Amino acid sequence: MDYVDYLMMYKKVEPTEFPTEVNGFTFRKFNGSESDIKLWFDICCCGIIRDDETLESAYKTRLIEHIGYNPDTIYFVMENGVEIATVTALTEENGTGWLHMVTAKPEARGKGVAKYLVAIAEAAIYKNKMKKILLQTKEFRAIAIKAYLRAGYKPVLYTDEMEERWCKFLSEHGYSGIDAVDEDGNFIKKIN
């Protein structure tokens, strides 16, 4: 997987079940239909799809061409029967699960949907017998990073510049003494 300039986070896979209804949220699997692909794209356009991407190009490059892509591990979160958020759990043959394409419509944010999305993906990753979970994100997604930290994800120092970037982010958001790890979850050092 090409990390480019993303921050990365790690969590060890723990036994978990798919969540039941929480705060009025339920979920369903993506069914691969044209209408579900359009729905996925529309939700992803609320923060993680660039303006210059088309439905076809985004679906191809962000899902189909990804290592670990499996249409059975794409999910929609619903509120009152309406799809408001999506998450994909990529599962690689090497035992790595990835939280991928995690986003919600603006009107769904601030209601606990992020925690629900992560719980769904973690259950799918566990069900597929993965050993670790990784995710990529960027600093501008501060709300998501804070949610991942609360959920037990740790910063990964996978390049020399990552420590500086993580220290800057953590300092700006009031964190200190956070464990940083490598891509296999081995402790490297406390940062910030």
Side-chain angles (χ1 to χ4, degrees):
M1 194 166 277
D2 182 15
Y3 303 133
V4 190
D5 64 340
Y6 289 88
L7 295 177
M8 186 185 296
M9 300 182 83
Y10 164 93
K11 185 175 183 182
K12 181 180 178 185
V13 175
E14 299 172 358
T16 187
E17 297 292 326
F18 284 98
T20 56
E21 182 175 337
V22 175
N23 297 333
F25 298 131
T26 57
F27 72 95
R28 72 170 179 87
K29 282 187 174 187
F30 171 85
N31 66 26
S33 67
E34 286 186 29
S35 61
D36 263 15
I37 294 170
K38 171 96 170 71
L39 181 60
W40 171 85
F41 180 75
D42 291 345
I43 294 171
C44 290
C45 281
C46 299
I48 58 177
I49 298 280
R50 295 185 319 266
D51 291 340
D52 65 342
E53 289 182 272
T54 65
L55 181 149
E56 294 79 15
S57 69
Y59 184 65
K60 180 180 176 188
T61 60
R62 293 177 177 260
L63 289 180
I64 293 172
E65 292 179 348
H66 251 282
I67 295 171
Y69 167 72
N70 178 347
D72 289 335
T73 57
I74 302 171
Y75 300 90
F76 291 115
V77 170
M78 299 179 299
E79 184 177 44
N80 300 319
V82 176
E83 291 83 355
I84 58 165
T86 186
V87 64
T88 300
L90 301 174
T91 53
E92 297 182 7
E93 289 181 13
N94 68 5
T96 302
W98 288 86
L99 253 64
H100 186 61
M101 302 303 287
V102 183
T103 194
K105 291 181 178 179
E107 61 271 20
R109 296 176 185 158
K111 299 179 180 181
V113 73
K115 185 175 181 179
Y116 195 69
L117 287 164
V118 169
I120 293 165
E122 288 180 355
I125 289 167
Y126 171 71
K127 180 181 173 193
N128 282 281
K129 300 178 176 30
M130 300 293 104
K131 296 178 177 106
K132 65 181 177 181
I133 306 170
L134 294 173
L135 66 87
Q136 299 171 329
T137 191
K138 294 218 177 178
E139 288 91 337
F140 76 88
R141 298 196 74 207
I143 293 170
I145 294 170
K146 291 176 187 180
Y148 297 137
L149 288 166
R150 283 191 303 274
Y153 287 80
K154 297 177 181 181
V156 173
L157 303 182
Y158 70 95
T159 67
D160 292 339
E161 72 169 352
M162 284 299 122
E163 182 175 356
E164 181 180 330
R165 287 177 61 192
W166 271 111
C167 284
K168 182 176 188 268
F169 177 87
L170 294 168
S171 176
E172 288 173 355
H173 295 280
Y175 291 92
S176 63
I178 301 293
D179 288 354
V181 299
D182 65 17
E183 290 179 61
D184 292 316
N186 299 308
F187 177 79
I188 295 176
K189 64 192 313 185
K190 287 205 177 282
I191 55 174
N192 206 34

